[in-house]
């Protein structure tokens, strides 16, 4: 059942599935995706739980923020959504950027349980080549706008961005690009020790977007965390190994799935 609600002037869309009186679970997708990307995760649990599968602001059918948000802003928004929906003692599952948001929120919100799937949140180590590309792009942008004028300069910058930017960055609106740039450079490892909820980390061993080393660091930083890594799987481990993923996540939620409410 697809629904929408307005919070702070922003429309947020979400899909509700599962057992009507089941334990509530908030499900957050990754950057550049929407709730349909993680429907298979919802399907793993909807036989006994109540799943609230959210389109994050700026994604799917949810409104785009009018200001450049950081991760804390996304977390605060999801907290308001949980409160507006009246969810008591919910769990949260986040993939990639959704995992980043879950980490930020869980550091001061007492979730029942947490699942982080190939989650972001650890700032990657940057090579000299990365910084060369970033600063050469910024310099070229400044020069193009100065010497070609606004219209021609912006066209030149756009062509350069299409060649050099990531797929997620290029497919985003100007506002969401600014938000992505801000969030991706945030390192959340310092707040991870404040997460007290039981936390399951599920990862693909071949994940190149959020490498397995990030998961191992999260496992050390989060007090009550355990890691399951799937060989041969990448950043979408829940799609690469659906049967293994289902078995692991259902075992984690076994008491809630079998509870009579």
């Amino acid at each position: 059942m697809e629904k929408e609600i307005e919070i702070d002037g922003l429309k947020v869309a979400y899909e509700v599935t599962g057992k009507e009186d089941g334990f509530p679970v908030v499900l957050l997708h990754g950057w550049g995706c929407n709730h349909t990307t993680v429907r298979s995760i919802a399907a793993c649990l909807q036989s006994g739980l109540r799943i609230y599968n959210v389109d994050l602001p700026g994604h799917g059918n949810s409104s785009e923020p009018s200001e450049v948000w950081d991760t804390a802003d996304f977390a605060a928004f999801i907290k308001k959504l949980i409160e507006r929906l009246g969810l008591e003692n919910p769990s949260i599952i986040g993939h990639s950027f959704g995992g980043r948001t879950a980490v930020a929120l869980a550091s001061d919100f007492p979730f029942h349980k947490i699942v982080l799937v190939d989650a972001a949140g650890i700032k990657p180590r940057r090579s000299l080549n990365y910084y060369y590309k970033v600063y050469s792009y910024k310099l070229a942008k400044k020069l193009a706008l100065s010497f070609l004028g606004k219209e021609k300069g912006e066209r030149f910058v756009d062509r350069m961005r299409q060649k050099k930017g990531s797929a997620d960055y290029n497919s985003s609106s100007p506002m969401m690009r600014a938000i992505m740039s801000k969030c991706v450079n945030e390192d959340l490892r310092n707040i991870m020790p404040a997460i007290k909820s039981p936390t399951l980390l599920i990862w693909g061993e071949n994940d190149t977007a959020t490498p397995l080393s990030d998961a191992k660091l999260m496992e050390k930083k989060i007090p009550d965390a355990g890691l399951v890594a799937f060989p041969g799987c990448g950043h979408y481990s829940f799609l690469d190994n659906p049967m293994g993923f289902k078995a692991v996540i259902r075992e984690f939620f076994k008491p809630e799935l079998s509870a009579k409410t």
Side-chain angles (χ1 to χ4, degrees), residues 100-232:
R100 176 190 288 277
T101 303
V103 167
L105 179 52
S107 64
D108 67 356
F109 187 93
F111 283 107
H112 179 60
K113 289 183 176 180
I114 301 166
V115 181
L116 302 176
V117 185
D118 301 293
I122 304 295
K123 185 176 180 179
R125 293 181 179 179
R126 306 296 194 183
S127 65
L128 289 176
N129 186 51
Y130 167 85
Y131 288 107
Y132 170 77
K133 288 181 179 180
V134 169
Y135 288 107
S136 63
Y137 171 79
K138 289 183 177 180
L139 177 61
K141 179 180 179 179
K142 185 175 181 180
L143 293 174
L145 293 174
S146 298
F147 290 99
L148 297 177
K150 188 175 188 298
E151 187 175 337
K152 289 184 178 179
E154 286 180 349
R155 287 202 298 267
F156 175 84
V157 170
D158 188 61
R159 289 196 299 270
M160 184 168 57
R161 176 180 55 75
Q162 291 291 339
K163 291 181 180 180
K164 296 182 179 294
S166 69
D168 283 344
Y169 185 84
N170 288 331
S171 63
S172 299
S173 70
M175 175 58 74
M176 295 307 290
R177 286 179 204 145
I179 291 173
M180 181 182 180
S181 295
K182 188 171 187 177
C183 291
V184 77
N185 286 306
E186 294 175 327
D187 196 332
L188 305 184
R189 72 182 75 191
N190 290 336
I191 65 173
M192 291 177 184
I195 298 174
K196 305 306 180 186
S197 307
T199 302
L200 171 64
L201 307 168
I202 306 180
W203 237 261
E205 287 188 358
N206 297 341
D207 190 339
T208 56
T210 53
L212 185 59
S213 58
D214 288 4
K216 292 179 179 178
L217 183 55
M218 289 183 186
E219 186 182 22
K220 291 180 181 179
K221 292 285 186 180
I222 300 172
D224 188 8
L227 170 64
V228 175
F230 294 130

Side-chain angles (χ1 to χ4, degrees), residues 19 24 40 45 57 72 86-87 90 156 166 170 178 186 188 190 222 232 235 238 248 258 261:
K19 189 178 178 183
S40 63
L45 301 171
L87 306 185
F156 175 84
S166 69
N170 288 331
E186 294 175 327
L188 305 184
N190 290 336
I222 300 172
H235 189 55
F238 61 98
V248 168
S258 58
T261 56

